[in-house]
Amino acid sequence: MTGITLALSKGRIFDETMPLLEAAGIRPLEDPESSRKLIIATERADVRVVIVRASDVPTYVQHGAADLGVAGRDVLLEHGGDGLLQPLDLRIARCRMMVACPEGFDYASAVRSGARLRVATKYVSIAREHFAAKGVHVDLIKLYGSMELAPLVGLADVIVDLVSTGGTLKANKLVAVEEILPVSSRLIVNRAALKLRRAEIAPIIDCFAGALAPV
Ligand code: PRT
Ligand code: MG
């Protein structure tokens, strides 16, 4: 038996996946926040967890370096789903992908005017698709973080970012003006691994499914 590798990111995904792992009897033996280890053993000798950046989880699973992973819908939409199955919405790390702009900005008129809208975001594919569907011409400006700053210093008219409490927007005098899509994290599985090692991997998926609260 080769064992099963599960890819997780530190922070909210690890924290919110933890109760599901416990319910599935695969509690990690170390906390990635305090341990510097990137490979963490679990209570089950045949299951290990690897700690990677949130946006790298689909890459590890797609290439079979991990059999399973947990990734946000935002990350999956940006990465693309090649070689991946998404059997479960874990309904964790929930937030919303939103368009936001400075408090005084007239978004409705800007969109109606037909002029090009300058959009700063980490989520270029999601933003491109959203504005294309609305028929709005955009100049996309790719950022890797702190999107909230961009409209404040004239880099962009609006941003596309995740919002959960709204506290970050508020602190920067920005307002959400449009929801693009609701986001939660999904269990993802390497398609080939599931086919070849179904007897090992399918029960893990079932454990996650069983650990979810009824809808
Ligand atoms: O942080 P790092 O650069 O390593 O990577 P990451 O930001 O992709 O990872 P992480 O762990 O921060 O987020 C992992 C996943 O959590 C994301 O892919 C989302 O699916 C999900 N998630 C849920 C969120 C949020 N809520 C969230 N609020 N990811 C990010 N945020 C950020 C948001 O971008 C904004 O900067 O939090 C800020 C807004 O929060 P509020 O509460 O002020 O509205
Ligand atoms: Mg983050």
Side-chain angles (χ1 to χ4, degrees), residues 36 61-62 123 128 185 192 208:
R36 286 169 192 263
V61 176
Q62 177 178 39
Y123 308 99
R128 183 181 296 116
S185 288
F208 270 94

Side-chain angles (χ1 to χ4, degrees), residues 62-189:
Q62 177 178 39
H63 292 276
D67 303 300
L68 305 117
V70 175
R73 184 181 181 198
D74 51 320
V75 165
L76 291 167
L77 287 171
E78 285 297 315
H79 180 273
D82 270 11
L84 298 175
L85 297 170
Q86 299 183 29
L88 288 178
D89 180 354
L90 301 177
R91 308 199 295 270
I92 59 170
R94 296 171 89 145
C95 55
R96 294 177 298 160
M97 186 70 71
M98 307 281 288
V99 181
C101 62
E103 277 166 8
F105 185 77
D106 188 351
Y107 178 64
S109 303
V111 161
R112 260 198 319 269
S113 74
R116 296 184 77 85
L117 192 68
R118 294 172 307 149
V119 181
T121 188
K122 184 168 150 183
Y123 308 99
V124 178
S125 299
I126 293 171
R128 183 181 296 116
E129 210 171 295
H130 173 71
F131 289 108
K134 287 167 66 81
V136 176
H137 295 286
V138 292
D139 290 319
L140 289 166
I141 300 161
K142 166 83 184 183
L143 293 176
Y144 293 88
S146 302
M147 267 84 83
E148 297 83 4
L149 179 63
L152 305 180
V153 294
L155 179 62
D157 303 311
V158 305
I159 62 171
V160 167
D161 194 8
L162 297 172
V163 179
S164 45
T165 63
T168 306
L169 292 182
K170 202 161 177 221
N172 292 292
K173 296 194 161 49
L174 300 174
V175 286
V177 285
E178 191 167 53
E179 171 161 344
I180 300 181
L181 44 91
V183 168
S184 58
S185 288
R186 316 291 154 113
L187 183 67
I188 59 173
V189 184

